[in-house]
């Protein structure tokens, strides 16, 4: 997998991604401490609102980025987003009002909604070989999982010698380093494309309409919902399971989250080889359906009244959640790349970014409300039903052709560009209509 780092341009861009992730992780820890400093016992409500604002920014801003970023220099877009994030992080230590936190969080996450889809759409051009690109996707998945483990540990080490406000300076350094690496990287020249016709709304929704038109991307919509149901349960209710259900200390919370990350990383390491034999559909749909099995196991553990076996069982289930989610998430970029025509690639990645976070915007509060209001058992049952339904919907939307003439193959397979081109043509035709719809 690490052989992909031999590509000089990708190595620098991956470095930019890693340092930006570390900076974001430090900001997450510092923001929680800042919220407590301002709001005291109401810090949880402040952070919950900030999380909702973050998701809202992702959902609203990313499609607009997809509409216009393809006509702008990619280096300028990436560096501008990094500089804006650095400027926002630099002002956070001086905040003393809750509303200021909300405004700055929206600005920070809006810049991330600009950076991330543009970055994701750039990598296929940097690594045109599919095998290299698949390895890069696995490496990116590992980077995200490692950041979730490494950043809290780094923050804890830094907090032993400096105040939490200094963590924001680490965030600033991370974003500036990311910008510097992008500036010094030779980016491939983008193929010229005709400007999109239609109004702003038509341009901003082009990527979403492409998702609705291409069957593999419609399946991806359902897969995003399945992953969001599982990850929301883990993110929101891990502390409840560890502290209240199992009666463990707060130090066990990062251990449980670490089990989730370990499962995700283990699967990300083997996915490239599996994809060469099985293809995206087999891996991703099976990962989504496996989430239903894990939810069933968690339901059994949740219903148990006692026993020391519940602790290792929960760790195994959390690792299984991470592994199943990684089966869906790791090949996502490869699927979008193959299903979307090159001229629509930035819009497609922006739509994926927006639509996947829209799923989290629904499942995060659902996990919290069900867990707090009706109990963990109801939360597991409700989110499990969402995951199973979404997995079955994905299998149906992204169907398999079993006709004798063709054998068994994925119908509307992303490797066949004809359906993607036809869908893009339909979208472009609607954009040229007088209404731009």
């Amino acid at each position: 997998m690490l052989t992909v780092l031999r590509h000089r341009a990708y190595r620098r861009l991956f470095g930019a991604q890693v340092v930006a992730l570390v900076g974001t992780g430090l900001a997450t820890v510092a923001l929680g401490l800042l919220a407590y400093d301002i709001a005291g016992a109401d810090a949880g409500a402040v952070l919950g609102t900030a999380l909702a604002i973050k998701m809202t920014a992702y959902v609203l801003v990313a499609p607009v980025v997809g509409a216009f970023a393809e006509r702008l220099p990619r280096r300028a877009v990436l560096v501008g987003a990094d500089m804006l994030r650095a400027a926002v992080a630099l002002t956070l230590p001086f905040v003393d009002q809750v509303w200021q936190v909300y405004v700055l969080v929206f600005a920070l996450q809006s810049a991330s909604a600009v950076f991330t889809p543009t970055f994701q759409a750039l990598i296929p051009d940097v690594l045109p070989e599919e095998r290299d690109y698949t390895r890069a996707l696995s490496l990116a998945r590992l980077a995200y999982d490692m950041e979730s483990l490494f950043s809290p540990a780094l923050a804890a080490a830094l907090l032993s010698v400096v105040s939490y406000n200094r963590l924001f300076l680490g965030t600033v350094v991370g974003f500036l380093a990311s910008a510097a690496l992008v500036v010094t990287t030779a980016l491939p020249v983008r193929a010229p494309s005709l400007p999109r016709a239609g109004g702003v709304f038509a341009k901003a929704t082009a990527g979403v309409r492409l998702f609705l038109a291409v069957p593999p991307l419609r399946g991806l919509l359902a897969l995003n919902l399945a992953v969001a149901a599982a990850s929301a349960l883990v993110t929101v209710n891990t502390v409840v399971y560890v502290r209240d259900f199992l009666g463990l200390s707060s130090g066990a919370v990062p251990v449980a989250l670490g089990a989730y990350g370990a499962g995700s990383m283990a699967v990300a390491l083997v996915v490239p080889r599996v994809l060469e034999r099985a293809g995206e559909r087999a891996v991703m749909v099976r990962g989504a359906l496996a989430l239903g099995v894990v939810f069933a196991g968690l339901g059994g553990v949740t219903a148990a009244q006692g026993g020391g076996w519940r602790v290792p069982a929960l760790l195994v289930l959390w690792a299984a959640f991470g592994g199943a989610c990684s089966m869906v998430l790791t090949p996502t970029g490869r699927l979008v790349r193959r299903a979307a025509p090159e001229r629509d690639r930035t819009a497609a990645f922006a739509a994926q970014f927006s639509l996947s976070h829209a799923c989290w915007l629904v499942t995060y509060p659902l996990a919290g409300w069900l867990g707090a209001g009706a109990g963990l058992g109801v939360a597991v049952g409700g989110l499990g039903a969402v995951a199973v339904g979404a997995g079955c919907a994905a299998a149906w939307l992204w169907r398999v052709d079993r006709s004798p003439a063709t054998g068994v193959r994925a119908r509307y397979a992303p490797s066949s560009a004809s359906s993607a081109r036809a869908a893009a043509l339909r979208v472009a035709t609607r954009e040229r209509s007088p209404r731009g719809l």
Side-chain angles (χ1 to χ4, degrees):
M1 181 188 301
L2 296 179
T3 56
V4 72
L5 294 177
R6 294 174 182 172
H7 296 263
R8 177 181 175 86
Y10 175 72
R11 184 170 65 247
R12 286 178 170 272
L13 291 174
F14 179 71
Q17 182 184 28
V18 169
V19 294
L21 282 174
V22 173
T24 302
L26 293 178
T28 300
V29 175
L31 192 60
L33 296 172
L34 175 63
Y36 184 80
D37 211 17
I38 295 175
D42 294 330
V46 173
L47 287 176
T49 304
L51 182 62
I53 290 173
K54 169 184 174 179
M55 294 299 172
T56 302
Y58 285 172
V59 171
L60 295 180
V61 174
V64 179
V65 174
F68 298 103
E70 64 184 16
R71 306 299 304 168
L72 299 174
R74 290 182 289 195
R75 192 193 309 276
V77 172
L78 294 172
V79 173
D82 270 335
M83 297 303 291
L84 177 57
R85 293 194 290 185
V88 172
L90 193 61
T91 61
L92 280 170
F94 305 102
V95 167
D96 58 4
Q97 299 292 327
V98 171
W99 69 267
Q100 295 171 342
V101 174
Y102 296 156
V103 171
L104 292 176
V105 164
F106 183 81
L108 180 66
Q109 302 306 333
S110 295
S112 294
V114 172
F115 182 92
T116 304
T118 306
F119 182 89
Q120 291 173 338
L122 170 63
I123 300 304
D125 292 337
V126 176
L127 299 173
E129 294 294 329
E130 186 172 276
R131 177 174 294 185
D132 290 336
Y133 181 60
T134 304
R135 291 171 177 170
L137 292 175
S138 295
L139 200 59
R141 184 76 252 154
L142 287 174
Y144 279 108
D145 291 330
M146 287 297 295
E147 182 275 326
S148 66
L149 300 175
F150 174 72
S151 291
L154 176 61
L158 291 174
L159 287 172
S160 65
V161 294
V162 299
S163 65
Y164 74 83
N165 280 332
R166 298 293 180 89
L167 295 183
F168 289 119
L169 296 179
T171 300
V172 173
V173 171
F175 291 144
L176 292 179
S178 173
L181 285 168
V182 172
V183 167
T184 57
T185 300
L187 302 182
V189 178
R190 180 162 44 192
S193 61
L194 296 175
R196 292 183 181 275
V200 174
F201 179 79
K203 294 176 180 178
T205 58
V208 175
R209 286 182 282 122
L210 183 65
F211 262 69
L212 297 177
V214 180
L217 298 182
R218 286 204 299 265
L220 181 56
L221 288 175
L223 293 171
N224 286 332
L225 182 58
V227 169
S231 60
L233 179 76
V234 171
T235 301
V236 174
N237 289 314
T238 292
V239 65
V240 182
Y241 268 101
V242 170
R243 298 303 307 273
D244 293 342
F245 181 72
L246 297 176
L248 302 177
S249 67
S250 58
V253 173
V255 175
L257 294 174
Y260 177 87
S264 178
M265 288 187 288
V267 170
L269 287 171
V270 301
V271 159
R273 282 176 289 179
V274 176
L275 286 173
E276 291 179 3
R277 298 192 300 269
E280 292 92 343
R281 184 188 184 277
V283 174
M284 298 174 74
V285 172
R286 288 174 184 175
L289 295 176
L291 288 173
V293 178
V294 184
F295 268 109
L298 181 59
V301 172
T302 306
Q305 298 300 314
W309 60 271
R310 295 182 303 169
V311 175
L314 185 73
L315 294 178
V316 170
L317 289 169
W318 255 227
F321 269 133
C325 288
S326 187
M327 289 177 67
V328 178
L329 293 174
T330 303
T332 294
R334 176 167 145 156
L335 173 60
V336 175
R337 176 201 188 195
R338 301 178 80 182
E342 185 175 355
R343 75 178 294 269
D344 297 305
R345 187 175 290 164
T346 301
F349 274 102
Q352 162 61 14
F353 186 82
S354 175
L355 294 170
S356 62
H357 285 88
C359 294
W360 276 307
L361 188 58
V362 173
T363 56
Y364 273 139
L366 184 62
W369 294 337
L370 289 178
L376 290 175
V378 175
V380 172
L383 290 169
V386 172
V388 171
C392 292
W396 181 79
L397 290 168
W398 190 359
R399 296 183 293 280
V400 171
D401 186 356
R402 299 180 182 273
S403 62
T406 58
V408 178
R409 62 179 178 83
R411 185 180 295 169
Y412 309 117
S415 58
S416 175
S418 58
S419 61
R421 285 195 297 267
L425 180 60
R426 291 195 297 270
V427 171
T429 302
R430 287 194 293 269
E431 287 175 352
R432 296 190 192 100
S433 66
R435 293 179 298 169
L437 296 176

